[in-house]
Amino acid sequence: MTNRTQWPGDVPAQVVILSGAGLSADSGIPTFRGAGGMWENHSVNQVANYLTWKQNFELVHQFYNERRAQLETIEPNDAHRMVASLQASLPTHVLTQNIDDVLEKAGCTDVIHLHGRADELRCEACGHHWSIGYAAWDPRSDRCPRCPSRKGVKPGVVFFHEPAPRYADMHRIFRSLRARDVLVVIGTSGLVIDVNAFVFDCPARKILNNLEASEHINAGYFDHVFYDGAAAAAPHIERLVRQLAGQL
Ligand code: NAD
């Protein structure tokens, strides 16, 4: 090893990756706000609003049935593989806003899905939570496997105006970051999660990768910025993270 950074007590650097829809864009999953608040040709208000989802019950389930069907054939790209590779060799927390399972397909474990997962369902009537895999759910006839509820069954995705229980993990992990650590933010506009609020006084070394500048993220808060596709940027980001973490 050369150029290894020494820290008091020689505690290994931890790496935190916060990703968003842009991470999976190079795998063929469209991002969210790209077309002005539309998600796959639907208004997010119709398909991801906790206050109104029961009024759009069949449309909501149809939408997430389509998301699951799409996931079955999606392959990880080099950015997902880079995250898995870092996690395999450094203490790494993987946080994602994505509801897809592509980080897991790339080999990541213990991924914190801040906004839930498209391949899960939850019953609001009895609290049962289960994995449906890539299968479709028939909102006209299917019922919760634990109680008789039909209209209580909701996609396991965190909607707008709904509590996001895993944000507590995100806050805890961000608070734990120290100067020796490395934070990588990939493929998020910062519109849903206020990235600036976490990053501005975060003492870690900070890397940002988006396709282009976002009006919601202050790039000046980051030490290294890559405006490029995540798959193309991945080898450069991996090398930089390993350098900063003292592995190279
Ligand atoms: P967003 O759509 O608001 O922003 C996407 C960001 O990714 C932009 O900053 C853009 O510059 C960047 N980007 C686009 N293509 C990229 C690429 N090839 N490489 C690198 N960066 C790229 O995404 P968000 O901030 O994650 O918020 C969207 C919300 O919608 C999330 O809460 C998420 O749950 C949901 N969503 C999820 C998926 C998914 O699971 N794959 C897809 C769409 C939306």
Side-chain angles (χ1 to χ4, degrees):
M1 280 189 293
T2 57
N3 212 14
R4 192 179 191 290
T5 313
Q6 292 292 320
W7 296 93
D10 210 22
V11 177
Q14 66 169 338
V15 178
V16 173
I17 317 267
L18 171 66
S19 66
L23 178 73
S24 296
D26 288 336
S27 292
I29 304 179
T31 60
F32 177 51
R33 292 271 163 181
M38 299 295 281
W39 189 358
E40 301 262 11
N41 299 322
H42 291 275
S43 149
V44 288
N45 209 34
Q46 276 185 313
V47 296
N49 185 335
Y50 192 64
L51 303 178
T52 60
W53 74 277
K54 282 196 179 174
Q55 291 159 31
N56 303 317
F57 190 71
E58 290 192 11
L59 173 71
V60 166
H61 276 288
Q62 191 53 42
F63 179 79
Y64 292 97
N65 283 342
E66 288 167 13
R67 303 286 67 72
R68 284 194 289 278
Q70 179 188 47
L71 288 185
E72 191 160 12
T73 54
I74 291 285
E75 296 289 336
N77 65 57
D78 282 348
H80 297 103
R81 284 189 278 271
M82 177 266 291
V83 176
S85 162
L86 289 174
Q87 197 186 33
S89 58
L90 286 164
T92 301
H93 293 288
V94 182
L95 306 167
T96 189
Q97 296 166 79
N98 294 346
I99 61 166
D100 67 49
D101 62 348
V102 196
L103 281 162
E104 284 85 354
K105 281 187 182 176
C108 291
T109 56
D110 302 317
V111 178
I112 296 176
H113 284 270
L114 298 162
H115 296 157
R117 296 179 58 136
D119 57 2
E120 293 180 356
L121 294 175
R122 189 166 62 83
C123 177
E124 300 260 296
C126 73
H128 185 48
H129 189 178
W130 71 101
S131 173
I132 184 174
Y134 302 124
W137 180 259
D138 187 340
R140 285 157 303 181
S141 58
D142 287 345
R143 291 178 185 275
C144 170
R146 185 174 286 174
C147 79
S149 181
R150 181 177 67 85
K151 283 214 79 171
V153 177
K154 177 184 168 295
V157 168
V158 176
F159 289 171
F160 288 99
H161 309 295
E162 183 177 6
R166 302 232 60 187
Y167 277 20
D169 298 302
M170 175 174 67
H171 289 284
R172 177 180 49 77
I173 289 167
F174 273 101
R175 271 199 309 272
S176 76
L177 283 167
R178 299 289 176 259
R180 75 193 64 185
D181 300 328
V182 186
L183 169 66
V184 188
V185 175
I186 306 179
T188 177
S189 64
L191 187 63
V192 181
I193 288 187
D194 185 359
V195 172
N196 288 334
F198 288 111
V199 169
F200 87 101
D201 64 350
C202 169
R205 282 74 58 83
K206 290 160 285 194
I207 301 169
L208 173 67
N209 169 215
N210 267 329
L211 206 50
E212 57 200 3
S214 165
E215 59 181 316
H216 307 289
I217 295 185
N218 184 345
Y221 291 151
F222 289 82
D223 303 295
H224 305 271
V225 177
F226 296 85
Y227 287 136
D228 200 352
H236 308 288
I237 293 173
E238 179 164 4
R239 182 169 175 75
L240 183 56
V241 172
R242 291 192 188 284
Q243 266 172 1
L244 294 172
Q247 263 198 340
L248 297 178

Coordinates of all heavy atoms in Angstrom, one line a residue, residues 153-222:
V153 N -54.5 -3.0 1.0 CA -53.2 -3.4 0.5 C -52.6 -2.4 -0.4 O -53.2 -1.9 -1.4 CB -53.3 -4.8 -0.3 CG1 -52.0 -5.2 -0.9 CG2 -53.9 -5.9 0.7
K154 N -51.4 -1.9 0.0 CA -50.7 -0.8 -0.6 C -49.3 -1.2 -1.1 O -48.7 -2.1 -0.4 CB -50.6 0.3 0.5 CG -49.8 1.5 0.0 CD -49.7 2.5 1.2 CE -48.7 3.6 0.8 NZ -47.3 3.1 0.6
P155 N -48.9 -0.7 -2.2 CA -47.5 -1.0 -2.6 C -46.5 -0.6 -1.4 O -46.7 0.4 -0.7 CB -47.3 -0.1 -3.8 CG -48.6 0.1 -4.4 CD -49.5 0.1 -3.2
G156 N -45.4 -1.4 -1.3 CA -44.5 -1.1 -0.2 C -43.5 0.0 -0.5 O -42.3 -0.1 -0.2
V157 N -44.0 1.0 -1.1 CA -43.3 2.2 -1.5 C -43.7 3.4 -0.7 O -44.9 3.5 -0.4 CB -43.5 2.5 -3.0 CG1 -43.0 3.8 -3.4 CG2 -42.9 1.3 -3.9
V158 N -42.8 4.2 -0.2 CA -43.2 5.4 0.6 C -43.7 6.5 -0.4 O -43.0 6.9 -1.2 CB -42.0 5.9 1.4 CG1 -42.3 7.2 2.1 CG2 -41.4 4.8 2.4
F159 N -44.9 6.8 -0.1 CA -45.6 7.9 -1.0 C -45.3 9.3 -0.4 O -45.0 9.4 0.8 CB -47.1 7.6 -1.1 CG -47.5 6.4 -1.9 CD1 -48.8 6.0 -1.9 CD2 -46.6 5.7 -2.7 CE1 -49.2 4.9 -2.7 CE2 -46.9 4.6 -3.4 CZ -48.3 4.2 -3.4
F160 N -45.5 10.3 -1.2 CA -45.5 11.6 -0.6 C -46.6 11.7 0.5 O -47.7 11.1 0.3 CB -45.8 12.7 -1.7 CG -44.6 12.8 -2.7 CD1 -44.5 12.1 -3.9 CD2 -43.5 13.5 -2.3 CE1 -43.4 12.2 -4.7 CE2 -42.4 13.6 -3.1 CZ -42.4 13.0 -4.3
H161 N -46.3 12.5 1.5 CA -47.2 12.7 2.7 C -47.3 11.4 3.6 O -48.2 11.3 4.4 CB -48.6 13.1 2.3 CG -48.6 14.3 1.3 ND1 -48.2 15.5 1.7 CD2 -49.0 14.4 0.0 CE1 -48.3 16.4 0.7 NE2 -48.8 15.7 -0.3
E162 N -46.4 10.5 3.4 CA -46.4 9.3 4.2 C -45.1 9.3 5.0 O -44.0 9.7 4.5 CB -46.4 8.0 3.3 CG -46.5 6.7 4.0 CD -46.6 5.5 3.1 OE1 -46.5 5.7 1.9 OE2 -46.8 4.4 3.6
P163 N -45.1 8.8 6.3 CA -43.9 8.7 7.0 C -42.9 7.8 6.3 O -43.2 6.8 5.7 CB -44.4 8.1 8.4 CG -45.8 8.3 8.4 CD -46.3 8.3 7.0
A164 N -41.6 8.1 6.5 CA -40.5 7.3 5.9 C -39.7 6.8 7.1 O -38.7 7.5 7.5 CB -39.7 8.2 5.0
P165 N -40.0 5.7 7.6 CA -39.3 5.2 8.9 C -37.8 5.1 8.7 O -37.1 5.3 9.7 CB -40.0 3.9 9.2 CG -41.1 3.7 8.2 CD -41.0 4.8 7.2
R166 N -37.3 4.8 7.5 CA -35.9 4.5 7.4 C -35.1 5.8 7.3 O -33.9 5.8 7.3 CB -35.6 3.6 6.2 CG -36.4 2.3 6.4 CD -35.5 1.1 6.2 NE -34.5 0.9 7.1 CZ -33.6 -0.1 7.0 NH1 -33.7 -0.9 6.0 NH2 -32.6 -0.2 7.9
Y167 N -35.8 7.0 7.3 CA -35.0 8.2 7.4 C -34.3 8.3 8.7 O -33.2 9.0 8.7 CB -36.0 9.4 7.2 CG -36.3 9.8 5.8 CD1 -36.2 8.9 4.8 CD2 -36.8 11.1 5.5 CE1 -36.6 9.3 3.5 CE2 -37.2 11.5 4.2 CZ -37.1 10.5 3.2 OH -37.4 10.9 2.0
A168 N -34.8 7.7 9.7 CA -34.1 7.7 11.0 C -32.7 7.1 10.8 O -31.7 7.5 11.4 CB -34.9 6.9 12.1
D169 N -32.6 6.0 10.0 CA -31.3 5.3 9.8 C -30.4 6.3 9.0 O -29.2 6.4 9.3 CB -31.5 4.1 9.0 CG -32.3 3.0 9.7 OD1 -31.9 2.7 10.8 OD2 -33.3 2.6 9.2
M170 N -31.0 7.0 8.0 CA -30.2 7.9 7.2 C -29.6 9.0 8.1 O -28.4 9.3 8.1 CB -31.1 8.5 6.2 CG -30.4 9.6 5.4 SD -31.4 10.2 4.0 CE -32.8 11.0 4.8
H171 N -30.4 9.6 9.0 CA -29.9 10.6 9.9 C -28.8 10.1 10.8 O -27.8 10.8 11.0 CB -31.1 11.2 10.8 CG -32.1 12.0 10.0 ND1 -31.8 13.3 9.6 CD2 -33.3 11.7 9.5 CE1 -32.8 13.8 8.9 NE2 -33.7 12.8 8.8
R172 N -29.0 8.9 11.4 CA -28.0 8.3 12.2 C -26.7 8.1 11.5 O -25.6 8.5 12.0 CB -28.5 7.0 12.8 CG -27.6 6.2 13.7 CD -28.2 4.9 14.1 NE -28.8 4.1 13.1 CZ -28.1 3.3 12.2 NH1 -26.8 3.3 12.3 NH2 -28.7 2.6 11.3
I173 N -26.8 7.6 10.3 CA -25.5 7.3 9.5 C -24.8 8.6 9.1 O -23.6 8.8 9.3 CB -25.9 6.5 8.3 CG1 -26.3 5.1 8.7 CG2 -24.7 6.5 7.3 CD1 -26.9 4.2 7.7
F174 N -25.6 9.6 8.7 CA -25.0 10.9 8.4 C -24.3 11.5 9.6 O -23.2 12.1 9.5 CB -26.0 11.9 7.7 CG -26.1 11.7 6.2 CD1 -27.2 11.0 5.7 CD2 -25.1 12.2 5.4 CE1 -27.3 10.8 4.3 CE2 -25.2 12.0 4.0 CZ -26.3 11.3 3.5
R175 N -25.0 11.4 10.7 CA -24.4 12.0 12.0 C -23.1 11.3 12.3 O -22.2 11.9 13.0 CB -25.4 11.9 13.1 CG -26.3 13.1 13.2 CD -26.9 13.2 14.6 NE -27.5 11.9 15.0 CZ -28.8 11.5 14.8 NH1 -29.6 12.3 14.1 NH2 -29.2 10.4 15.2
S176 N -22.9 10.0 11.9 CA -21.7 9.3 12.3 C -20.5 9.6 11.4 O -19.4 9.2 11.7 CB -22.0 7.8 12.2 OG -22.0 7.3 10.9
L177 N -20.7 10.4 10.4 CA -19.6 10.6 9.5 C -18.6 11.5 10.1 O -18.9 12.5 10.7 CB -20.1 11.2 8.2 CG -20.8 10.3 7.2 CD1 -21.5 11.0 6.1 CD2 -19.7 9.3 6.6
R178 N -17.3 11.1 9.9 CA -16.1 11.9 10.4 C -15.2 12.3 9.3 O -15.4 11.8 8.1 CB -15.3 11.0 11.4 CG -16.2 10.6 12.6 CD -16.5 11.8 13.6 NE -17.3 11.4 14.7 CZ -18.6 11.6 14.7 NH1 -19.3 12.2 13.7 NH2 -19.3 11.3 15.8
A179 N -14.2 13.1 9.6 CA -13.3 13.6 8.5 C -12.7 12.5 7.7 O -12.4 12.7 6.5 CB -12.3 14.5 9.1
R180 N -12.4 11.4 8.3 CA -11.7 10.3 7.6 C -12.6 9.6 6.6 O -12.2 8.8 5.8 CB -11.2 9.3 8.6 CG -12.2 8.4 9.2 CD -11.7 7.6 10.3 NE -11.4 8.5 11.4 CZ -10.8 8.1 12.6 NH1 -10.5 6.9 12.8 NH2 -10.5 9.0 13.5
D181 N -13.9 9.8 6.7 CA -14.9 9.0 6.0 C -15.2 9.6 4.6 O -14.7 10.7 4.3 CB -16.2 8.9 6.8 CG -16.0 8.2 8.1 OD1 -15.1 7.3 8.2 OD2 -16.7 8.6 9.1
V182 N -15.9 8.8 3.8 CA -16.2 9.3 2.4 C -17.7 9.2 2.1 O -18.3 8.1 2.4 CB -15.4 8.4 1.4 CG1 -15.6 9.0 0.0 CG2 -13.9 8.3 1.7
L183 N -18.3 10.2 1.6 CA -19.7 10.2 1.3 C -19.8 10.4 -0.2 O -19.2 11.3 -0.8 CB -20.4 11.4 1.9 CG -21.8 11.7 1.4 CD1 -22.8 10.6 1.8 CD2 -22.3 13.0 2.0
V184 N -20.5 9.5 -0.9 CA -20.7 9.5 -2.3 C -22.2 9.7 -2.6 O -23.0 8.9 -2.1 CB -20.2 8.3 -3.0 CG1 -20.3 8.4 -4.5 CG2 -18.8 7.9 -2.6
V185 N -22.6 10.8 -3.3 CA -24.0 11.0 -3.7 C -24.1 10.8 -5.2 O -23.4 11.4 -5.9 CB -24.4 12.4 -3.3 CG1 -25.8 12.8 -3.8 CG2 -24.3 12.6 -1.7
I186 N -25.0 9.9 -5.6 CA -25.0 9.5 -7.0 C -26.5 9.5 -7.5 O -27.4 8.9 -6.9 CB -24.6 8.0 -7.2 CG1 -23.2 7.8 -6.7 CG2 -24.6 7.7 -8.7 CD1 -22.7 6.4 -6.9
G187 N -26.7 10.3 -8.5 CA -28.0 10.2 -9.3 C -29.2 10.7 -8.6 O -30.3 10.1 -8.7
T188 N -29.1 11.7 -7.8 CA -30.3 12.3 -7.2 C -30.3 13.8 -7.4 O -29.3 14.5 -7.3 CB -30.3 12.0 -5.7 OG1 -31.5 12.6 -5.1 CG2 -29.1 12.4 -4.9
S189 N -31.5 14.3 -7.7 CA -31.7 15.7 -7.9 C -31.7 16.5 -6.6 O -31.5 17.8 -6.7 CB -33.0 16.0 -8.7 OG -34.1 15.6 -7.8
G190 N -31.9 15.9 -5.5 CA -32.0 16.6 -4.2 C -33.3 17.2 -4.0 O -33.5 18.0 -3.1
L191 N -34.3 16.8 -4.8 CA -35.6 17.4 -4.7 C -36.4 16.8 -3.6 O -37.1 17.4 -2.9 CB -36.4 17.3 -6.1 CG -37.7 18.0 -6.2 CD1 -37.5 19.5 -6.1 CD2 -38.3 17.7 -7.5
V192 N -36.3 15.5 -3.6 CA -37.1 14.7 -2.6 C -36.4 14.7 -1.2 O -36.9 15.1 -0.2 CB -37.4 13.3 -3.0 CG1 -38.3 12.5 -2.0 CG2 -38.2 13.3 -4.4
I193 N -35.1 14.3 -1.3 CA -34.3 14.4 -0.1 C -33.4 15.6 -0.2 O -32.7 15.8 -1.2 CB -33.4 13.1 0.1 CG1 -34.4 11.9 0.6 CG2 -32.3 13.3 1.2 CD1 -33.7 10.7 0.9
D194 N -33.4 16.4 0.9 CA -32.6 17.7 0.8 C -31.1 17.4 1.1 O -30.7 17.4 2.2 CB -33.2 18.6 1.9 CG -32.6 20.0 1.8 OD1 -31.7 20.2 1.0 OD2 -32.9 20.8 2.7
V195 N -30.4 17.1 0.0 CA -29.0 16.7 0.1 C -28.2 17.8 0.7 O -27.3 17.6 1.6 CB -28.5 16.3 -1.3 CG1 -27.0 16.1 -1.3 CG2 -29.2 15.1 -1.8
N196 N -28.5 19.1 0.4 CA -27.7 20.2 0.9 C -27.7 20.2 2.4 O -26.7 20.5 3.1 CB -28.3 21.5 0.4 CG -28.1 21.8 -1.0 OD1 -27.1 21.3 -1.6 ND2 -28.9 22.6 -1.7
A197 N -28.9 19.9 3.0 CA -29.0 20.0 4.5 C -28.1 19.0 5.1 O -27.6 19.2 6.2 CB -30.4 19.7 4.9
F198 N -27.8 17.8 4.5 CA -26.9 16.8 5.1 C -25.4 17.2 4.8 O -24.5 16.9 5.6 CB -27.1 15.5 4.4 CG -28.4 14.8 4.9 CD1 -29.5 14.7 4.0 CD2 -28.6 14.4 6.2 CE1 -30.6 14.1 4.5 CE2 -29.7 13.9 6.7 CZ -30.8 13.7 5.8
V199 N -25.2 17.8 3.7 CA -23.8 17.8 3.2 C -23.1 19.1 3.6 O -21.9 19.1 3.8 CB -23.8 17.7 1.6 CG1 -22.5 18.1 1.0 CG2 -24.3 16.3 1.2
F200 N -23.8 20.2 3.9 CA -23.1 21.5 4.0 C -22.1 21.5 5.2 O -21.0 22.0 5.1 CB -24.1 22.6 4.1 CG -24.6 22.9 5.4 CD1 -24.1 24.0 6.2 CD2 -25.6 22.2 6.0 CE1 -24.6 24.3 7.4 CE2 -26.1 22.4 7.3 CZ -25.6 23.5 8.0
D201 N -22.5 20.8 6.3 CA -21.5 20.8 7.4 C -21.0 19.4 7.7 O -20.5 19.1 8.8 CB -22.2 21.4 8.7 CG -23.4 20.5 9.2 OD1 -23.8 19.6 8.4 OD2 -23.9 20.8 10.3
C202 N -21.1 18.5 6.7 CA -20.7 17.1 6.9 C -19.1 17.1 6.8 O -18.6 17.6 5.8 CB -21.3 16.2 5.9 SG -20.6 14.6 5.8
P203 N -18.4 16.6 7.8 CA -17.0 16.7 7.8 C -16.3 15.7 6.9 O -15.1 15.8 6.6 CB -16.6 16.4 9.3 CG -17.7 15.5 9.8 CD -18.9 15.9 9.0
A204 N -17.0 14.7 6.3 CA -16.4 13.7 5.4 C -15.9 14.3 4.1 O -16.3 15.4 3.8 CB -17.4 12.6 5.2
R205 N -15.1 13.5 3.4 CA -14.8 13.9 2.0 C -16.0 13.5 1.2 O -16.5 12.4 1.3 CB -13.5 13.2 1.5 CG -12.2 13.7 2.0 CD -11.9 13.5 3.4 NE -11.8 12.1 3.8 CZ -10.7 11.3 3.6 NH1 -9.6 11.8 3.1 NH2 -10.7 10.0 3.9
K206 N -16.4 14.5 0.3 CA -17.7 14.3 -0.4 C -17.6 14.3 -1.9 O -16.9 15.2 -2.5 CB -18.6 15.4 0.0 CG -19.0 15.3 1.5 CD -19.5 16.6 2.1 CE -18.4 17.5 2.4 NZ -18.7 18.7 3.3
I207 N -18.2 13.3 -2.5 CA -18.2 13.2 -4.0 C -19.6 13.2 -4.5 O -20.5 12.6 -3.9 CB -17.6 11.8 -4.3 CG1 -16.2 11.7 -3.8 CG2 -17.6 11.5 -5.8 CD1 -15.6 10.2 -3.8
L208 N -19.8 14.0 -5.6 CA -21.2 14.0 -6.2 C -21.1 13.6 -7.6 O -20.1 13.9 -8.4 CB -21.6 15.5 -6.2 CG -22.9 15.8 -7.0 CD1 -24.1 15.2 -6.3 CD2 -23.2 17.3 -7.1
N209 N -22.0 12.7 -8.0 CA -22.1 12.3 -9.5 C -23.6 12.4 -9.9 O -24.5 11.8 -9.4 CB -21.7 10.9 -9.6 CG -22.0 10.3 -11.0 OD1 -22.3 9.1 -11.1 ND2 -21.9 11.1 -12.0
N210 N -23.8 13.3 -10.8 CA -25.1 13.5 -11.5 C -24.8 13.7 -13.0 O -23.7 14.0 -13.4 CB -25.9 14.7 -10.9 CG -26.8 14.3 -9.8 OD1 -27.4 13.2 -9.8 ND2 -27.1 15.2 -8.9
L211 N -25.9 13.5 -13.8 CA -25.7 13.8 -15.2 C -25.4 15.2 -15.4 O -24.6 15.6 -16.3 CB -27.0 13.4 -15.9 CG -26.9 12.9 -17.4 CD1 -25.8 11.9 -17.6 CD2 -28.2 12.4 -17.9
E212 N -26.0 16.1 -14.7 CA -25.8 17.5 -14.8 C -26.1 18.2 -13.5 O -26.6 17.6 -12.6 CB -26.8 18.1 -15.9 CG -28.3 17.7 -15.5 CD -29.2 17.8 -16.7 OE1 -28.7 18.0 -17.8 OE2 -30.4 17.6 -16.5
A213 N -25.8 19.5 -13.5 CA -26.0 20.3 -12.2 C -27.5 20.3 -11.9 O -28.4 20.3 -12.8 CB -25.5 21.7 -12.4
S214 N -27.8 20.2 -10.6 CA -29.2 20.3 -10.2 C -29.4 21.6 -9.4 O -28.6 21.9 -8.6 CB -29.5 19.1 -9.2 OG -30.7 19.4 -8.5
E215 N -30.5 22.2 -9.6 CA -30.8 23.5 -8.9 C -31.0 23.2 -7.4 O -31.0 24.2 -6.6 CB -32.0 24.2 -9.5 CG -33.3 23.3 -9.4 CD -34.5 24.0 -10.0 OE1 -34.7 25.2 -9.8 OE2 -35.3 23.3 -10.8
H216 N -31.2 22.0 -7.0 CA -31.5 21.7 -5.6 C -30.2 21.2 -4.9 O -30.3 20.9 -3.7 CB -32.5 20.6 -5.5 CG -33.8 20.9 -6.3 ND1 -34.7 21.9 -5.9 CD2 -34.3 20.4 -7.4 CE1 -35.6 21.9 -6.7 NE2 -35.4 21.1 -7.7
I217 N -29.1 21.1 -5.6 CA -27.9 20.7 -4.9 C -26.8 21.7 -5.1 O -26.5 22.1 -6.3 CB -27.4 19.3 -5.4 CG1 -28.4 18.2 -5.0 CG2 -26.0 18.9 -4.8 CD1 -28.0 16.8 -5.4
N218 N -26.2 22.1 -4.0 CA -25.0 23.1 -4.1 C -23.8 22.3 -4.3 O -23.2 21.7 -3.3 CB -25.0 23.9 -2.8 CG -23.9 24.9 -2.9 OD1 -23.0 24.9 -3.8 ND2 -24.0 25.9 -2.0
A219 N -23.3 22.2 -5.5 CA -22.1 21.4 -5.8 C -20.8 21.9 -5.1 O -19.9 21.2 -4.9 CB -21.8 21.4 -7.3
G220 N -20.9 23.2 -4.6 CA -19.8 23.8 -3.9 C -19.6 23.1 -2.5 O -18.5 23.2 -1.9
Y221 N -20.6 22.4 -2.1 CA -20.4 21.6 -0.8 C -19.6 20.4 -1.0 O -19.3 19.7 0.0 CB -21.8 21.3 -0.2 CG -22.6 22.4 0.3 CD1 -24.0 22.3 0.3 CD2 -22.0 23.6 0.8 CE1 -24.8 23.4 0.8 CE2 -22.8 24.6 1.3 CZ -24.2 24.5 1.3 OH -25.0 25.5 1.7
F222 N -19.3 20.0 -2.2 CA -18.6 18.7 -2.5 C -17.2 19.0 -2.8 O -16.8 20.0 -3.4 CB -19.3 18.0 -3.6 CG -20.7 17.4 -3.3 CD1 -21.8 18.2 -3.3 CD2 -20.8 16.1 -2.9 CE1 -23.0 17.7 -2.9 CE2 -22.0 15.6 -2.5 CZ -23.2 16.4 -2.5

